[in-house]
Amino acid sequence: MNWYLEVLKKYAVFSGRARRKEYWMFVLFHAIAIVVLAVVDFAVGTFPLIYGLYGLATFLPALGVTIRRLHDTDRSGWFIFIGAIPLVGFIILLVFLAGEGKPEENKHGVNPKFVAAA
């Protein structure tokens, strides 16, 4: 849960790097929240109000952590648009996001894995 809150604290930060753990823990809690809010929204009869407001509120943090994750693999944030390619784009983007970050410092900053350990 702390990883999710840390990403929300960096609400619209698109610079720097994000570890795999930071990204995937955010994705996990984000997906759980979306499912829970969609169920609550249906139960209350207001779908897509609560679900939509949550999606709108978390759009920038989700975009930011995805771009920072791409930076960790030494790719530009513009690679996020590769996901728009039909059929294979999502798979390519998923491979980029799941790959290990560069262990050395790159043009986007120092390795966050070593900064967190220090």
Side-chain angles (χ1 to χ4, degrees):
M1 185 69 168
N2 288 336
W3 291 102
Y4 180 78
L5 296 175
E6 285 297 317
V7 169
L8 292 180
K9 286 179 188 175
K10 301 175 187 174
Y11 191 82
V13 176
F14 301 104
S15 61
R17 296 169 64 169
R19 295 175 59 183
R20 275 188 296 190
K21 187 173 186 178
E22 177 183 1
Y23 177 76
W24 290 110
M25 292 302 278
F26 175 80
V27 168
L28 173 68
F29 282 101
H30 187 64
I32 291 170
I34 285 174
V35 169
V36 168
L37 289 174
V39 168
V40 168
D41 226 359
F42 270 119
V44 175
T46 59
F47 188 81
L49 181 66
I50 300 169
Y51 170 82
L53 288 174
Y54 173 78
L56 189 61
T58 57
F59 175 73
L60 287 178
L63 183 64
V65 75
T66 304
I67 289 173
R68 289 194 314 271
R69 179 70 203 122
L70 287 167
H71 286 173
D72 193 42
T73 61
D74 206 17
R75 291 182 176 85
S76 169
W78 291 104
F79 271 89
I80 199 166
F81 290 113
I82 205 166
I85 299 172
L87 301 174
V88 297
F90 175 74
I91 296 168
I92 295 169
L93 185 60
L94 189 62
V95 168
F96 288 167
L97 295 172
E100 188 170 354
K102 299 294 179 191
E104 65 276 349
E105 184 175 342
N106 66 21
K107 63 186 172 193
H108 303 288
V110 296
N111 187 343
K113 189 179 227 178
F114 298 129
V115 171

